[in-house]
Amino acid sequence: MSEQISGVIKHVVLQKENGWAVVRLMADAPYNAEITVTGVFPKLKSGIPLHIEGDWVENKRWGKQFKAENFLSARPKTAYEMELYLSSNLVKGIGPATATKIVKKFGDQTFDILDNHPELLLTIEGIGKYKLKIIQESWNAQKADLDTLLYLRKIGISTQMAVKLYKEFGSKITSMIEANPYILVKKVRNFGFKKADQIAQNMGFGIDFPPRIRAGILHTLECACQEGHTAMEMGSLVGKASLLLDLPPESVAKALVDMIHKKEVIKAPAKTPDGEPVDCIYPSWLYYHEFGVAKHIHRLMSNQDTFVRSEMLYEQHLRNPSESAKKLSKTQNSAIALALKNPVTVLTGGPGTGKTSTLKALVELLNQAGVDFVLTAPTGRAAQRMAETTGFKASTIHRLLKYDPRTNVFLHDEKDPIKSNFFIIDEMSMVDAYLMDCLLRAVPDGAHVLMVGDADQLPSVSAGNVLNDIISSNIVPVTKLTEVFRQDEKSFITLNAHRINNCQMPVIPNDIQKCNDFFFFKADDPDAIANTVLELVTKKIPATFGFDPKTQIQVLAPMYRGDIGVDELNIRLQELLNPPYPSKKEHVFGKKIFRTGDKVMQLQNDYDLNIFNGDIGFIKDITDKGLVIDFTGEKVDYPFECLENLTLAYCATIHKSQGSEFDAVVMPYHESYSLMLRKNLTYTGITRAKKLVILVGTKRAVAISVSNNRVERRLTGLELFLKQVNHQPIPVKE
């Protein structure tokens, strides 16, 4: 039950730019004592009264504290409080001595005088016309600050968000919201439609308010984008938006026509899951990015006079192959020839088919020939693995393009392209339409682009189906590797990955002498499965294989909820692998507890911090400002206000594991998770393991997963755009 407390600030221990503060408060009755208060507040100083709402919490390091959830007021009521307030130097021109004089003369009416009759201050000794002007300006400014924040709180905006809004927009945010509350959805990152809609209802806006209808349509499109689609069929969009808005479809359709006319959304064809083109509606920004991918691929492919001396290089490759190249198959050599002779190509294949060895041989050839090349991947872990396997530097796409947090754009684009002749992109299945467009913009005319990835992996977390759409278009030359190489033939991980991809049950020998990298542990119910997973991770796998449970073993679950879901397994694994200890720092955020030593994962791209969706790190320290996290060798100062985008990572979803590899992977299976038991999920999870896979659960659940070939196909436009940009096929050099 929340509690309200009033008092006067004795000391401001800490206040950060975002408003988060720690203060010592002399609390009124019933406490009549000095207490520690934490929370988000407007600008604070000693002597300011506070009226707050929140709960008492026990901090293991600092003891009992009052955690303020809501800031209610900081306006003094008594003459004593007024004097303390004015003595705090918040108002320019009024120091402690002048504050005493003012309050002695006007008493409880002091603030009314400052608000409505400031000219009466001229009767105070030491205040002339010039000083009065300074006092008035300062008083009106701080009053506007407080009034704005209290207004935002009144209409249902949290204190933290109110401080953020005021910092960005100042007092004009009030008039902006009064005119159109839905402006918050457009102007503020992660400010959802439903939150804005609730505020609008609190303010008395009707359900047929035109900006509401437009915001509802865009929200419906955004929900589709979060599921991976880049567009929605018009009928589906109108139907879902009308349900959301509680309005007749006619009203929504009329608003949609107007939005199309104003290019707020784009009407264009997309390919349905059935493979048929149909008129769809795109968010305008996403349409231009997806169309941009097609445009830039055609730009590059139309330039057959490239920087790379393809014929000469390939002859050199055949005449004097490197040690890596000597081991290549005919198909692998063909892939290298294709990449050298064509400006844009794709190399795809499952595990053990030789994508990495082909890539290594190509990179060595380019290096030997003095060709400038770039190795890049969508995640830090994927880039790190690319560098390890090739022996050359690799970077994330974001880092390659040089994101500028001040302008929220990439510095490299068509106006300032990256100075390189050959671009190799790994883990292409993870690259979404937005990121691919940004990358291709920065590729100069005459350069080559090779896209490498497993087309059977899960598609990107964000909107688009880039790799599969490019392959399906038949516009770009593609090499598909299918032969499993001898060194991988004995691996049951590789064998079973291909079996699962062909909708066949994995082979699981009972004899450990015959198989040492793929196992199945039977458990009948979710509780037994969870207990088996915990025992495997904390005891059996480390004892048998020597793997570190935090750094080398990864539990992958299909969903978040339930006994064998990500959330519950993370809580239990944290208690076993990183339990609390008196000297160990920790921070409580909602229902999550973060401790030094914890394995954590980023849930959204954060360009300011230069960390991205799916990045895994370890908490090295907890300070008064936030967490210090090591992400793949780089320490990041992670502020407390961003913790909603961070989670424990002892267990992760299979989706979030894309682009990563782990020595050992443990995956729970039960029939109760039937909606998430799909072949492509199991395939992706298994292919994340380098040395060991253990499935835990029932064989029936595994069988359901393997036989469920249903893929949640995405509604995207790239394949059609590739075919429409240039109706003439581009010649392919064999």
Side-chain angles (χ1 to χ4, degrees):
M1 188 79 179
S2 294
E3 181 181 345
Q4 293 187 4
I5 290 180
S6 296
V8 177
I9 296 173
K10 294 285 289 184
H11 174 56
V12 180
V13 180
L14 169 74
Q15 182 156 38
K16 299 195 297 184
E17 258 188 63
N18 61 10
W20 192 85
V22 179
V23 301
R24 295 290 291 171
L25 184 78
M26 180 55 71
D28 297 341
Y31 298 102
N32 295 317
E34 194 172 309
I35 64 172
T36 299
V37 175
T38 65
V40 179
F41 305 101
K43 198 174 196 181
L44 298 177
K45 283 198 175 184
S46 300
I48 291 178
L50 275 185
H51 185 43
I52 52 181
E53 184 179 53
D55 296 290
W56 289 99
V57 296
E58 188 68 34
N59 186 290
K60 291 186 177 181
R61 187 178 183 189
W62 305 110
K64 195 174 183 181
Q65 299 178 339
F66 189 80
K67 186 178 180 182
E69 299 293 342
N70 292 320
F71 166 75
L72 302 176
S73 178
R75 196 88 189 253
K77 297 177 182 176
T78 67
Y80 172 70
E81 290 178 348
M82 291 177 185
E83 185 174 346
L84 285 174
Y85 186 90
L86 294 175
S87 300
S88 65
N89 294 316
L90 276 174
V91 183
K92 292 180 181 178
I94 302 180
T98 304
T100 301
K101 292 177 184 177
I102 293 171
V103 176
K104 186 176 180 180
K105 184 173 181 68
F106 299 113
D108 293 350
Q109 302 300 309
T110 296
F111 276 28
D112 180 63
I113 297 296
L114 286 163
D115 285 339
N116 303 309
H117 306 286
E119 69 279 359
L120 295 179
L121 293 178
L122 293 170
T123 61
I124 303 295
E125 183 184 354
I127 298 180
K129 289 184 179 180
Y130 178 73
K131 195 170 190 177
L132 176 63
K133 184 180 178 183
I134 294 173
I135 292 171
Q136 278 186 275
E137 289 175 352
S138 180
W139 175 257
N140 290 335
Q142 65 82 30
K143 182 175 178 292
D145 292 356
L146 184 58
D147 288 349
T148 300
L149 291 167
L150 292 176
Y151 167 80
L152 295 174
R153 284 288 307 118
K154 185 180 178 182
I155 63 173
I157 294 175
S158 70
T159 302
Q160 186 167 350
M161 179 56 71
V163 171
K164 180 181 177 181
L165 289 173
Y166 186 79
K167 183 182 175 184
E168 186 168 353
F169 300 105
S171 58
K172 69 179 181 181
I173 187 64
T174 302
S175 58
M176 288 168 61
I177 293 174
E178 286 177 340
N180 176 17
Y182 300 95
I183 195 78
L184 294 169
V185 181
K186 185 178 181 180
K187 295 287 189 180
V188 183
R189 185 185 293 180
N190 298 325
F191 201 103
F193 167 80
K194 292 184 178 179
K195 188 185 292 184
D197 202 36
Q198 185 59 56
I199 291 168
Q201 288 180 33
N202 293 342
M203 297 172 66
F205 284 90
I207 64 169
D208 58 351
F209 181 49
R212 178 178 185 264
I213 301 175
R214 291 197 296 273
I217 290 171
L218 291 173
H219 173 74
T220 305
L221 276 173
E222 178 61 29
C223 289
C225 293
Q226 289 174 2
E227 295 175 0
H229 307 286
T230 59
M232 286 186 73
E233 292 185 57
M234 186 178 292
S236 175
L237 173 60
V238 170
K240 289 185 177 182
S242 68
L243 287 173
L244 172 72
L245 297 165
D246 195 23
L247 287 170
E250 297 79 20
S251 300
V252 176
K254 184 180 177 182
L256 182 57
V257 170
D258 185 58
M259 292 174 73
I260 294 170
H261 178 71
K262 294 177 179 176
K263 295 193 180 324
E264 294 177 55
V265 295
I266 304 295
K267 183 181 178 182
K271 191 174 179 181
T272 68
D274 296 328
E276 296 297 322
V278 62
D279 279 342
C280 290
I281 303 298
Y282 294 75
S284 57
W285 69 272
L286 191 49
Y287 167 83
Y288 290 117
H289 282 302
E290 196 167 33
F291 189 84
V293 174
K295 182 180 72 175
H296 288 293
I297 285 176
H298 277 276
R299 168 178 65 85
L300 293 167
M301 294 186 70
S302 63
N303 191 343
Q304 295 294 306
D305 185 21
T306 66
F307 296 127
V308 179
R309 305 175 300 280
S310 57
E311 298 293 343
M312 185 183 75
L313 272 180
Y314 189 62
E315 288 175 9
Q316 179 182 327
H317 167 68
L318 294 176
R319 189 171 56 253
N320 187 27
S322 65
E323 288 302 312
S324 300
K326 290 178 183 176
K327 303 174 184 177
L328 298 183
S329 69
K330 184 179 178 181
T331 308
Q332 289 174 302
N333 275 304
S334 296
I336 291 177
L338 212 64
L340 291 173
K341 296 176 182 179
N342 295 274
V344 184
T345 51
V346 171
L347 174 64
T348 186
T353 56
K355 295 191 301 295
T356 299
S357 10
T358 306
L359 187 59
K360 182 175 172 60
L362 173 61
V363 168
E364 289 174 350
L365 176 62
L366 294 173
N367 181 63
Q368 186 181 353
V371 177
D372 289 331
F373 61 89
V374 165
L375 304 180
T376 189
T379 68
R381 282 186 169 251
Q384 186 179 36
R385 192 174 70 251
M386 196 181 188
E388 290 168 355
T389 55
T390 62
F392 292 91
K393 181 182 177 183
S395 69
T396 64
I397 297 173
H398 296 85
R399 187 161 292 173
L400 177 68
L401 296 176
K402 294 183 179 178
Y403 175 76
D404 184 2
R406 295 171 301 173
T407 57
N408 198 34
V409 297
F410 293 113
L411 295 181
H412 284 301
D413 56 16
E414 57 265 51
K415 295 179 182 177
D416 183 19
I418 298 166
K419 293 177 174 61
S420 187
N421 300 336
F422 213 111
F423 293 75
I424 302 175
I425 314 159
D426 202 8
E427 293 290 351
M428 262 299 300
S429 62
M430 297 181 63
V431 182
D432 58 62
Y434 162 74
L435 191 57
M436 191 62 182
D437 180 41
C438 292
L439 175 57
L440 292 178
R441 286 169 185 258
V443 176
D445 290 341
H448 283 229
V449 174
L450 171 62
M451 296 168 275
V452 184
D454 186 347
D456 293 318
Q457 295 277 4
L458 292 170
S460 59
V461 174
S462 298
N465 197 15
V466 176
L467 178 61
N468 276 287
D469 280 352
I470 290 173
I471 293 172
S472 300
S473 74
N474 293 318
I475 295 294
V476 175
V478 177
T479 301
K480 185 172 184 179
L481 302 176
T482 56
E483 180 187 354
V484 177
F485 283 85
R486 191 172 298 163
Q487 62 267 30
D488 289 296
E489 287 179 346
K490 297 179 181 179
S491 167
F492 277 79
I493 296 175
T494 301
L495 169 68
N496 286 329
H498 287 277
R499 286 184 63 85
I500 289 167
N501 203 32
N502 292 319
C503 299
Q504 298 174 315
M505 280 290 285
V507 177
I508 309 170
N510 295 322
D511 189 353
I512 194 169
Q513 300 300 321
K514 294 181 179 179
C515 173
N516 61 2
D517 67 353
F518 201 106
F519 301 93
F520 176 82
F521 281 73
K522 185 177 180 297
D524 293 326
D525 60 81
D527 186 56
I529 294 171
N531 290 333
T532 303
V533 168
L534 296 177
E535 187 178 8
L536 284 165
V537 173
T538 61
K539 296 178 181 178
K540 287 188 175 181
I541 296 175
T544 307
F545 297 93
F547 294 144
D548 182 271
K550 287 202 309 186
T551 61
Q552 292 179 287
I553 304 172
Q554 184 62 52
V555 181
L556 297 178
M559 58 195 300
Y560 284 97
R561 298 186 301 276
D563 292 340
I564 55 173
V566 170
D567 293 338
E568 183 63 24
L569 287 175
N570 264 325
I571 292 171
R572 296 183 68 181
L573 284 165
Q574 183 191 40
E575 288 303 301
L576 292 169
L577 297 176
N578 193 33
Y581 196 75
S583 62
K584 191 178 293 183
K585 298 179 184 177
E586 65 177 42
H587 179 81
V588 179
F589 181 80
K591 296 181 180 180
K592 300 176 186 176
I593 299 174
F594 295 104
R595 297 190 187 106
T596 51
D598 271 335
K599 183 180 182 179
V600 293
M601 176 182 285
Q602 179 69 9
L603 297 175
Q604 289 188 5
N605 292 342
D606 191 318
Y607 300 110
D608 296 337
L609 297 176
N610 202 31
I611 51 176
F612 306 100
N613 192 351
D615 282 355
I616 292 176
F618 291 87
I619 299 175
K620 296 300 181 181
D621 194 13
I622 300 176
T623 69
D624 56 0
K625 296 182 179 179
L627 314 182
V628 180
I629 305 176
D630 187 335
F631 287 101
T632 56
E634 292 195 16
K635 288 186 178 180
V636 175
D637 292 323
Y638 202 102
F640 287 130
E641 63 268 22
C642 295
L643 285 179
E644 64 183 357
N645 297 325
L646 195 73
T647 189
L648 296 173
Y650 302 100
C651 179
T653 65
I654 297 169
H655 282 90
K656 294 292 186 184
S657 72
Q658 293 180 89
S660 298
E661 277 191 342
F662 313 96
D663 287 309
V665 166
V666 181
M667 299 169 65
Y669 281 84
H670 193 261
E671 299 93 299
S672 58
Y673 292 86
S674 58
L675 290 175
M676 297 301 293
L677 295 177
R678 302 201 305 269
K679 184 199 77 173
N680 62 341
L681 276 171
T682 297
Y683 175 79
T684 299
I686 286 173
T687 56
R688 300 304 88 203
K690 293 191 289 186
K691 299 176 181 178
L692 178 66
V693 169
I694 298 181
L695 310 182
V696 183
T698 68
K699 287 191 177 180
R700 173 174 165 77
V702 176
I704 292 172
S705 173
V706 170
S707 62
N708 184 1
N709 199 24
R710 181 179 61 87
V711 178
E712 291 185 1
R713 300 286 299 274
R714 298 183 170 186
L715 194 64
T716 59
L718 179 56
E719 181 182 339
L720 295 176
F721 297 157
L722 281 165
K723 293 176 177 178
Q724 291 172 353
V725 168
N726 184 346
H727 294 284
Q728 298 299 316
I730 294 174
V732 175
K733 294 182 181 179
E734 301 293 340

